[in-house]
Amino acid sequence: MRIKRRPVPNRTAREISIEVSRSLDTPGLHAHQGSNTLSAGLSGAIDVGHRGTTPVFSPTVSATVQNGLYPTAVFCDIPGPSSSTDEPGTGHGVNNGSVSVGMSVLPHGLDLPVGVPAQVYTVDGLVSNFEIANVVPPPSVAARQRTTAEDSIHAGDVGRVPMVLDFSSGCVVLNPNLAPFNTRRGERQGRISGSSSTGDTDSPQVQGPVAPPQREGWPFVTCLQVPLWSIGLLEDVTKSANTAGHFLGRGEEEISAYFCSTAIPTLLRFWLSHFESHERRALREPIIQGLIGFLNENNALVKLFRTARDKLLQADIPNFSIRLFGVVGAHQYELPTADSVGAIVYDGGPEAVTDYDVVIERHSGEPESVNKLHPAYMALQFPLLFVYGEEANSDCSAYPHVPRKMALITDAGTSSKSTDKAVVPSRQLAYLAELNPTDNSKFIEVKVYRKWTTVKIPGFVPTAFSCMLLDKKGTAIQANADIKEKARFDHDLQLNCVYKIEGFGFDRPDSWGKTLDNDITLCFGKYTQVQLLQAKDFPSHYFNFAAFNELNARLEKKNLTLTDYIGYVHNVEKAKEYGGATTTRVKVRNIGIRNLNNNVVLFTLWNEDADNFPEGEYAEMKQPVILAVSSCYLKRYADLDSPLISEFIGQIQLSATSATRYYFNPDVPETGELLAAYSDANMTIPQLDIHTERLTNWEEERNRNRVPLATLLQIDPKTQQVQEANTIITKYCQPNILTKFNFTQRVLFTQDAMILQVDAGHDWYYQKCDECGGKLRYGYLHGQCHQYGTTPNPQNSYCFRIVITDGTANALMSCFTPQTDGLIKDVNTLLEEVDTKDPATIPPAILALQNTRHIFQFQFATPTLKGPPTFILKKIMDNPQLALLEPSAGPSSPQTNLPESPTDEGSTPPPATPTVTQDTPAGEPTETQHPLQSAARKKLFVPTTEEESNPALKKHKKD
DNA sequence: CCCCCCCC
């Protein structure tokens, strides 16, 4: 039953209770005299705060008072017969105007004034007032049984048997002398409205619960009003959280009939566990047995559920359940009239739900529909033990049945007696893993590890204060508080401080945005107590890192548990702003996180987080920087402009959420692993300081990426896939420099190197199609890129290969036109000079390049299956003037030519792919091709291998 | 109560 309630301070409660008393006079209530039932004997508890409203008290109270034997309910400040019937002889009747109903469980001191309410605080800030009733001052032990036994209704029977429990003697006695009250049986109404206020003025006046119960002089009071469903739940939940969860859905709870008397011993044991030993001693076994027996025999709800169980066991009633309906609004403090609560038979069909509020089947067999708001249901909310509110606040909706607190809070300062006695059952320390939603007797000592504001989307409206807490064992749990409490908890719970926390509730985590994998979230509320500790030895971090290869599965599984990830900071982009006045304005900052296998995933920070990334701090840090990110939302981010296949499919993105926090070089084992691996790599292979941006300064440009050839050659030559090649390359690159990583084509290196040799085994020139750049083979038509009837205009191009050395290693480099400008004269000029046009015969002018030294700018050719990487000459940088005229295919002006022509011969240079190979001219950097670049790339960023095998992909330009 | 993570 979930009822949203507001805290009601005593003063307010007092005021409200007056209204209640009026409503209690309504015939609708008194027509059912059994209304006393639920509170009979063990009842009479005044539930104020628990429901956040006003005391409710049953006719039992009146009866008791009238009887004069026991001071129970006294409604002061409220004119009414009840007050006047309070007999002086009781000596306890009036106590500061409070209502006293309940039962003392004090082992001694039973001369304490009765009628002093106990006030208990629920986790959500509600105040529950419980009072003592049926207290039997020792040595008298008495109880009265109602004299009227006319009621054939089971539930009603119960209610009219006030029970007196004398804990000092251990006796449980029915009080036969207790005058029946409310004996007038109201005509059964087909429909009972709990809120009705009409008619039936004949009903005995019931004194409205009134006085806001105030605690005075009672060190400890409790109430034995037990919601039987709570009893059931107590056990049920213990046995099976699932059952309990189902059981307590929202609003209306379907309750299995399983629990009846069997749960009671459990309850009592549970209850007893909260007493001090000396108190417990007084609660001797006979008493317990008596309680059990009493509840079994007399509690209307026990009967109700027993009836339900019996019904359920009847095979001919297939669709049977009990429904307890939530009571909301002003009706919640109305008097329980338990005799109207029979077995609640519910047909199970949709019509049954809509056509009736509740269908009650009495033992007599007569069905009766009852308004959902009928106060009978309030009886179900009267807790015996769970004085802190099974209901608790609405934030803790998932476990409304779970008692939030067990401790009764007394006001020691005003206590006239027994102030030295411990009146608040103390909680015990529990580790987070030991917490149980059914147990509120624990406190925790935790470090505030993270805190954030949970938001609701769309709109990102703040809904809660949230934090993640760590205990000493390293277990983590999330705690939430209503957004209204944010300021307080934000202040009281400081990051990385340790606190003792008690008085919290439990909830199920939201299915989305789960930060943790566990099934419990703590609920903090108004009465959550926080105490700063000077504790040490708390773990510094809690992560549940996903591996790179797990990300996809998590993504596809729609696993809404947020993801933690760790790796090297690969690169940090600047924050970019998108959108504008007409759309959504958003700031984005992407950070590449690379793992040990050189897989890079994107970590995205949004808006303020994007702005607040500590760029300066990061820049100061020693490389490499390990970055651990937490609670990220996994998604795919399709960068349609990216030439990488993986990005077309959609690169996996770790999108920051409000719960996300990130940590540089966190003190976790993974950081050590990453750093160790990085060091290993450093020892064997020096880091490449790669600059992807073209430098405008010539001198800088010609010195850009001066990576020793020996280093470059260490790059795994077996790499075939573009992506793999990229990651291999990035492995040797300094983090935080590369933002895109299709380096195969893009990264330009420079080196001062000597030409050792010209490869004589390779043609030195070829005829290149002017349209596609493909090789024109002598004697073969090349019509695939020319309209029929047009004449190809082949151009000659160098394609000789040279072996260069920088002193560290030798490398093979292919030289195509026009990138050989500056190295050798134009190919056509040379052709006119040579004696033979045979491309296999290397002209002397080319051989003369041997043993000359130059500044080469070059890039990787497409990795080959075998052998070390080869390179493509991009530019001779000996001479600045020449170079300035050269177009470039560097990263800032990516290669754009998409030459076609099938690679019918792998060793010949028909440049058929956009990828550079040692046999392929690495660019056709004519400016006119640029407009085609983007579209072409979008269509064509497929693997080289696939492209080569699929001629259809190679269409271009002519379209 | 549902809705459920922003960007190119």
Side-chain angles (χ1 to χ4, degrees):
Chain A
M1 299 192 184
R2 299 187 59 216
I3 304 173
K4 290 185 178 176
R5 298 174 186 84
R6 298 190 169 281
V8 178
N10 272 350
R11 211 174 303 129
T12 307
R14 181 191 299 268
E15 292 162 6
I16 293 175
S17 64
I18 295 172
E19 297 171 5
V20 171
S21 71
R22 293 195 191 107
S23 73
L24 287 174
D25 285 339
T26 65
L29 292 172
H30 302 301
H32 301 273
Q33 15 196 271
S35 57
N36 57 335
T37 52
L38 283 175
S39 31
L42 292 181
S43 78
I46 296 177
D47 184 341
V48 177
H50 173 61
R51 298 304 165 209
T53 54
T54 49
V56 178
F57 65 98
S58 78
T60 305
V61 173
S62 296
T64 315
V65 171
Q66 286 165 358
N67 175 267
L69 279 180
Y70 306 110
T72 52
V74 178
F75 307 109
C76 297
D77 303 340
I78 298 279
S82 191
S83 324
S84 62
T85 58
D86 182 38
E87 295 184 8
T90 68
H92 304 300
V94 179
N95 190 311
N96 289 330
S98 46
V99 178
S100 171
V101 185
M103 176 176 69
S104 168
V105 293
L106 284 178
H108 51 74
L110 288 177
D111 56 336
L112 292 170
V114 184
V116 180
Q119 199 172 69
V120 295
Y121 297 87
T122 62
V123 69
D124 56 347
L126 305 177
V127 178
S128 291
N129 291 276
F130 296 92
E131 302 210 358
I132 298 155
N134 293 338
V135 172
V136 182
S140 92
V141 174
R144 295 191 175 186
Q145 204 152 9
R146 69 181 171 84
T147 55
T148 307
E150 68 184 74
D151 196 348
S152 62
I153 298 172
H154 250 65
D157 288 339
V158 179
R160 280 178 281 283
V161 186
M163 188 66 199
V164 175
L165 300 175
D166 181 358
F167 285 99
S168 65
S169 66
C171 294
V172 181
V173 184
L174 290 180
N175 184 350
N177 300 319
L178 194 57
F181 54 89
N182 212 10
T183 52
R184 179 186 178 279
R185 295 257 172 271
E187 302 72 29
R188 292 242 168 76
Q189 299 172 334
R191 195 159 188 95
I192 304 165
S193 169
S195 56
S196 166
S197 307
T198 59
D200 206 341
T201 53
D202 290 336
S203 292
Q205 290 284 312
V206 175
Q207 308 313 313
V210 188
Q214 293 167 3
R215 288 171 287 118
E216 288 181 22
W218 281 92
F220 182 80
V221 287
T222 189
C223 167
L224 273 184
Q225 187 89 5
V226 184
L228 268 293
W229 53 274
S230 290
I231 295 176
L233 280 172
L234 185 67
E235 190 161 284
D236 228 34
V237 168
T238 305
K239 288 182 175 177
S240 162
N242 289 338
T243 302
H246 165 70
F247 191 77
L248 291 156
R250 302 191 175 97
E252 309 151 348
E253 346 290 3
E254 294 189 3
I255 299 189
S256 75
Y258 130 85
F259 53 88
C260 285
S261 57
T262 56
I264 295 175
T266 302
L267 172 71
L268 292 172
R269 277 194 299 274
F270 181 68
W271 173 55
L272 286 172
S273 71
H274 295 86
F275 286 86
E276 299 295 332
S277 59
H278 68 277
E279 294 170 329
R280 213 158 31 220
R281 238 174 281 124
L283 300 169
R284 291 187 294 271
E285 187 65 14
I287 305 177
I288 305 308
Q289 293 305 326
L291 278 172
I292 294 169
F294 177 84
L295 288 170
N296 259 335
E297 289 303 309
N298 299 303
N299 191 290
L301 286 174
V302 171
K303 287 178 177 290
L304 188 154
F305 290 116
R306 185 183 295 121
T307 302
R309 177 196 59 194
D310 294 339
K311 286 285 180 188
L312 196 61
L313 292 174
Q314 296 174 20
D316 57 330
I317 305 181
N319 296 321
F320 174 88
S321 66
I322 295 179
R323 304 201 113 201
L324 299 182
F325 288 85
V327 181
V328 295
H331 312 294
Q332 60 189 276
Y333 36 74
E334 290 183 63
L335 186 66
T337 56
D339 72 336
S340 64
V341 181
I344 303 173
V345 181
Y346 159 63
D347 191 8
E351 301 81 9
V353 177
T354 51
D355 292 346
Y356 307 93
D357 295 310
V358 177
V359 176
I360 288 182
E361 181 185 278
R362 299 176 182 276
H363 268 227
S364 65
E366 309 167 44
E368 184 174 41
S369 72
V370 177
N371 189 288
K372 287 175 186 175
L373 301 181
H374 192 275
Y377 294 105
M378 280 305 294
L380 301 171
Q381 302 179 358
F382 277 25
L384 164 61
L385 301 178
F386 311 130
V387 291
Y388 277 89
E390 297 72 8
E391 190 52 30
N393 64 39
S394 58
D395 293 332
C396 302
S397 54
Y399 299 98
H401 54 290
V402 175
R404 262 36 176 209
K405 278 188 173 183
M406 288 303 296
L408 291 175
I409 296 174
T410 62
D411 187 343
T414 58
S415 180
S416 58
K417 301 187 179 188
S418 305
T419 52
D420 55 334
K421 302 213 181 296
V423 295
V424 179
S426 59
R427 293 185 173 92
Q428 301 95 46
L429 172 66
Y431 290 106
L432 294 177
E434 300 166 346
L435 288 180
N436 183 326
T438 64
D439 184 359
N440 64 359
S441 67
K442 300 291 193 287
F443 68 84
I444 54 176
E445 292 183 357
V446 287
K447 186 179 91 164
V448 178
Y449 176 49
R450 286 157 48 189
K451 54 180 184 174
W452 66 93
T453 302
T454 292
V455 296
K456 206 177 190 176
I457 56 172
F460 298 90
V461 180
T463 57
F465 166 87
S466 297
C467 57
M468 187 178 292
L469 309 170
L470 299 186
D471 69 11
K472 241 176 188 169
K473 289 187 173 176
T475 311
I477 200 165
Q478 184 176 325
N480 296 327
D482 190 279
I483 192 68
K484 293 191 287 289
E485 304 264 14
K486 173 177 154 58
R488 177 190 153 212
F489 285 109
D490 214 16
H491 172 270
D492 288 354
L493 298 175
Q494 291 299 313
L495 226 46
N496 295 318
C497 291
V498 173
Y499 299 90
K500 172 186 178 182
I501 301 177
E502 58 185 316
F504 46 81
F506 298 88
D507 199 357
R508 232 182 278 279
D510 271 333
S511 59
W512 56 274
K514 275 184 67 174
T515 56
L516 298 167
D517 221 4
N518 62 28
D519 290 328
I520 301 179
T521 292
L522 301 185
C523 293
F524 290 170
K526 194 167 190 173
Y527 294 96
T528 299
Q529 298 163 50
V530 170
Q531 183 187 342
L532 181 66
L533 301 178
Q534 296 301 320
K536 294 209 167 52
D537 304 325
F538 276 74
S540 51
H541 285 290
Y542 177 90
F543 293 110
N544 187 13
F545 293 122
F548 176 80
N549 65 338
E550 294 173 323
L551 295 180
N552 198 47
R554 291 176 70 104
L555 191 70
E556 286 174 356
K557 217 169 53 176
K558 295 240 181 257
N559 186 345
L560 290 178
T561 303
L562 300 172
T563 299
D564 299 344
Y565 196 75
I566 190 167
Y568 304 107
V569 175
H570 182 70
N571 65 292
V572 178
E573 291 183 7
K574 298 283 182 198
K576 291 174 288 191
E577 186 166 320
Y578 297 96
T582 58
T583 57
T584 305
R585 201 190 303 274
V586 64
K587 279 189 182 169
V588 179
R589 184 197 295 271
N590 287 321
I591 296 167
I593 302 179
R594 181 167 41 92
N595 73 354
L596 271 177
N597 298 328
N598 299 301
N599 299 301
V600 178
V601 293
L602 222 51
F603 169 56
T604 303
L605 291 169
W606 303 97
N607 300 319
E608 297 81 12
D609 292 333
D611 281 333
N612 293 336
F613 181 84
E615 281 178 289
E617 177 190 331
Y618 171 73
E620 298 291 309
M621 295 178 74
K622 178 178 178 295
Q623 298 287 333
V625 175
I626 309 301
L627 180 64
V629 299
S630 64
S631 298
C632 292
Y633 177 77
L634 266 186
K635 61 185 294 193
R636 279 199 186 277
Y637 167 81
D639 180 359
L640 296 180
D641 275 331
S642 167
L644 286 185
I645 304 132
S646 61
E647 289 175 346
F648 177 63
I649 295 167
Q651 186 170 327
I652 287 185
Q653 177 184 29
L654 295 159
S655 180
T657 69
S658 61
T660 293
R661 292 295 177 273
Y662 53 90
Y663 307 86
F664 295 123
N665 299 322
D667 180 19
V668 294
E670 289 83 357
T671 297
E673 293 176 30
L674 288 162
L675 289 175
Y678 193 89
S679 299
D680 291 346
N682 267 350
M683 288 181 65
T684 57
I685 303 158
Q687 291 299 304
L688 307 191
D689 186 9
I690 303 294
H691 296 271
T692 57
E693 293 307 307
R694 193 156 186 214
L695 303 172
T696 51
N697 179 285
W698 171 255
E699 199 53 36
E700 289 178 10
E701 178 69 3
R702 80 194 292 256
N703 286 288
R704 170 154 69 116
N705 299 336
R706 286 289 178 101
V707 180
L709 291 178
T711 302
L712 293 179
L713 292 176
Q714 288 184 56
I715 292 176
D716 186 353
K718 295 185 183 63
T719 303
Q720 296 305 304
Q721 300 302 312
V722 171
Q723 193 178 355
E724 290 178 21
N726 291 336
T727 56
I728 290 291
I729 291 169
T730 63
K731 181 174 182 176
Y732 304 102
C733 295
Q734 288 286 353
N736 194 27
I737 295 193
L738 305 172
T739 56
K740 298 285 185 178
F741 26 89
N742 60 339
F743 301 106
T744 304
Q745 300 172 59
R746 289 190 168 193
V747 176
L748 297 182
F749 301 91
T750 65
Q751 195 53 262
D752 184 346
M754 173 89 70
I755 298 177
L756 285 178
Q757 190 181 347
V758 174
D759 182 0
H762 196 274
D763 287 358
W764 66 275
Y765 82 100
Y766 74 104
Q767 285 200 316
K768 180 166 68 175
C769 174
D770 63 324
E771 285 289 331
C772 67
K775 181 181 180 182
L776 299 179
R777 202 168 299 280
Y778 179 77
Y780 288 82
L781 283 171
H782 194 263
Q784 63 266 47
C785 64
H786 290 81
Q787 272 189 329
Y788 180 74
T790 62
T791 306
N793 183 24
Q795 297 183 338
N796 295 311
S797 172
Y798 284 121
C799 61
F800 63 87
R801 301 202 293 201
I802 55 177
V803 177
I804 64 168
T805 181
D806 66 345
T808 66
N810 300 346
L812 194 62
M813 180 180 291
S814 297
C815 303
F816 299 99
T817 298
Q819 288 83 2
T820 47
D821 291 352
L823 186 67
I824 192 170
K825 64 184 74 169
D826 177 76
V827 63
N828 292 316
T829 307
L830 182 56
L831 265 173
E832 292 173 9
E833 299 175 358
V834 297
D835 300 330
T836 171
K837 307 290 189 222
D838 182 4
T841 305
I842 310 291
I846 294 178
L847 296 172
L849 293 173
Q850 291 173 156
N851 298 314
T852 61
R853 195 166 157 168
H854 309 273
I855 307 293
F856 297 90
Q857 186 171 60
F858 57 95
Q859 64 183 167
F860 278 95
T862 299
T864 52
L865 281 169
K866 292 179 180 177
T870 60
F871 303 98
I872 306 289
L873 174 65
K874 296 302 293 184
K875 190 180 299 182
I876 294 296
M877 304 190 80
D878 302 348
N879 185 325
Q881 284 80 7
L882 262 179
L884 283 176
L885 300 173
E886 296 260 359
S888 167
S892 51
S893 59
Q895 170 184 353
T896 58
N897 66 320
L898 295 164
E900 79 163 321
S901 94
T903 55
D904 45 350
E905 290 183 37
S907 59
T908 55
T913 76
T915 316
V916 179
T917 73
Q918 71 269 30
D919 294 330
T920 307
E924 192 95 319
T926 60
E927 298 307 318
T928 54
Q929 287 176 317
H930 278 254
L932 297 170
Q933 164 194 348
S934 180
R937 273 175 53 204
K938 283 183 184 177
K939 288 179 188 170
L940 292 172
F941 46 83
V942 292
T944 301
T945 51
E946 179 182 342
E947 197 171 313
E948 287 174 342
S949 63
N950 187 355
L953 288 170
K954 296 163 191 165
K955 286 193 61 175
H956 63 97
K957 290 209 311 191
K958 288 287 263 191
D959 309 356

